């Protein structure tokens, strides 16, 4: 059953975690989006648990939480390795031939002096996808052993931290946009990596849908694999939810999670000030990202620089309206939505606003989910500059605007990850605890 078609279970608000822990085998859980402390059933196979207040997805309960993800991760890793080592696109122009692979744009960015974009391409297209699959296989494979190694929690922690930074599916869309430009310039041959990339994206989607990190953490804890932390006092401290493994523990601020070892904090530290700094830096860079050209295209001595909006206009004049809409949304509208949306949420915290908390929480989810898709324009430039290097006949070079735009995308993604949406509900007084749950 697909995730969208799965039935959902509205977890009950138990008032305090002590009551939640005794409620018919339920376990305590704090909603990551609104901060509600609630009780969640331990076993509800085929049902997705959701927060009753903000409708956030808390957990998916799969019938085979460890075996199916292990098989899908193996298949995804094999497809990924094959795809990254095979030819991607080949361009033929006036008897000259130039080929590329998925990561070839990184070398072209280095030639143009844009090291930041070269790092982004290598990290998001090669290092992170492979690292996440290897980390996942390490954890799931280790759990299949009779005596799992005691350090399995560490790779699972890193797996969680890298979640948003693998962008093969975004690159696939960027390659599609690049292809429409290349076919007007020369003969383009699709390599086996093009079809492999489509298979990898599908496999990764299936693997991510089947893998529930909470099931892996529960399995580690059931096998006695946990961080070595000193015992916590029965009283004192406050109920804290681990930002990594989601375990709710009564402990003092800054102590280590008993399950994964992550430092426990009531909310993300300095969330508002750090988010404001990142949003401000992104807003400053957003102006040159749209003002300066992202690439220079020269064909037979003619041509010139192209800005982001210039590319949108070019697609409109060529009759490619769908691609014009995609590029405009991903490269212009979505970055602006992220900047405005994050600013609205930060102001909501500072002004202690009680208005539209649910809607603002939904806005946060949209900002967090769409952030990575703004990288389409960077990947378009990556594909084009890797192929079109024929000297005076035809050449495409990356420009400063592309580096500024890449920095905007990264900064807004980090800002969304740094911001804690629970602060909006805290500021409105929605998470005032009962006396039994206070320090």
């Amino acid at each position: 059953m697909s995730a969208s078609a799965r039935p959902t279970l509205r977890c009950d608000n138990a008032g305090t975690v002590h009551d939640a822990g005794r409620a018919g085998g339920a376990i305590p859980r704090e909603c990551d989006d609104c901060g509600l402390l609630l009780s969640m059933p331990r076993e509800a196979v085929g049902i997705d648990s959701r927060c009753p207040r903000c409708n956030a997805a808390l957990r998916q309960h799969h019938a085979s939480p460890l075996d199916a993800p292990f098989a899908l991760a193996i298949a995804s890793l094999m497809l990924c390795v094959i795809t990254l080592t095979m030819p991607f696109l080949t361009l033929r122009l006036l008897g000259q031939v130039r080929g590329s692979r998925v990561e070839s744009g990184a070398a072209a960015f280095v030639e143009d002096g844009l090291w930041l974009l070269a790092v982004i391409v290598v990290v998001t297209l090669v290092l992170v996808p492979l690292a996440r699959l290897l980390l996942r296989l390490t954890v799931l494979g280790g759990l299949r052993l009779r005596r799992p190694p005691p350090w399995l929690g560490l790779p699972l922690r890193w797996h969680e931290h890298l979640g948003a930074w693998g962008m093969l599916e975004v690159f696939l869309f960027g390659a599609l946009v690049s292809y429409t430009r290349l076919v007007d310039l020369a003969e383009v041959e699709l390599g086996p990596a093009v079809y492999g990339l489509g298979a990898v994206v599908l496999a990764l989607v299936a693997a991510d849908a089947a893998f529930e990190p909470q099931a892996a953490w529960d399995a580690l804890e059931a096998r006695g694999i946990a961080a070595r932390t000193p015992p916590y006092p029965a009283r004192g401290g406050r109920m804290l939810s681990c930002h990594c493994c989601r375990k709710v523990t009564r402990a003092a601020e800054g102590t280590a999670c008993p399950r994964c070892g992550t430092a426990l904090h009531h909310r993300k530290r300095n969330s508002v000030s750090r988010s404001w700094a990142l949003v401000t830096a992104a807003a400053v860079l957003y102006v040159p990202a749209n003002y300066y050209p992202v690439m220079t295209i020269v064909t037979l001595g003619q041509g010139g620089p192209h800005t982001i909006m210039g590319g949108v206009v070019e697609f409109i004049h060529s009759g490619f309206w769908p691609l014009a809409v995609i590029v405009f949304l991903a490269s212009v509208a979505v970055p602006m939505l992220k900047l405005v949306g994050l600013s609205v949420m930060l102001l909501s915290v500072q002004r202690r606003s009680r208005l539209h908390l649910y809607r603002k929480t939904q806005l946060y989810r949209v900002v967090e989910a769409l952030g990575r898709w703004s990288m389409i324009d960077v990947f378009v430039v990556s594909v084009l500059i890797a192929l079109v290097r024929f000297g005076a006949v035809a050449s495409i070079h990356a420009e400063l605007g592309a580096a500024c735009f890449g920095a905007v995308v990264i900064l807004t993604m980090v800002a969304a990850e740094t911001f804690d949406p629970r602060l909006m509900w805290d500021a409105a007084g929605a998470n005032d605890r009962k006396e039994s749950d206070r320090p």
Side-chain angles (χ1 to χ4, degrees), residues 420-438:
D420 195 331
R422 296 172 295 182
L423 292 173
M424 295 189 293
W425 297 81
D426 292 347
N431 289 328
D432 292 340
R433 308 298 192 206
K434 295 183 178 180
E435 192 64 30
S436 60
D437 194 43
R438 292 184 183 275

Side-chain angles (χ1 to χ4, degrees), residues 219-261:
L220 289 175
E221 193 171 27
R223 300 291 294 273
I225 301 173
R228 296 181 179 179
T229 57
Y232 299 128
R235 297 185 180 277
R238 67 188 306 177
M239 302 308 299
L240 300 177
S241 175
C242 178
H243 299 311
C244 182
C245 72
R246 308 301 187 267
K247 184 178 180 64
V248 176
T249 308
R250 181 176 291 279
E253 189 84 8
T255 54
C257 172
R259 181 160 68 175
C260 71

Side-chain angles (χ1 to χ4, degrees), residues 276 339-349 360 363 424:
W276 266 127
L339 292 173
V340 173
L342 286 168
S343 299
V344 168
M345 290 181 282
L346 287 165
L347 289 173
S348 175
V349 174
K360 284 182 283 192
L363 174 62
M424 295 189 293

Side-chain angles (χ1 to χ4, degrees), residues 250-303:
R250 181 176 291 279
E253 189 84 8
T255 54
C257 172
R259 181 160 68 175
C260 71
T262 302
L264 294 173
H265 297 282
H266 177 58
R267 296 293 182 255
K268 295 179 181 179
R269 290 179 297 173
N270 304 318
S271 174
V272 173
S273 58
R274 292 166 61 195
S275 298
W276 266 127
L278 292 165
V279 168
T280 302
V284 171
L285 288 172
Y286 184 75
V287 176
N290 286 274
Y291 177 78
Y292 289 110
V294 295
M295 59 184 171
T296 297
I297 302 177
V298 178
T299 305
L300 298 177
Q302 297 183 350

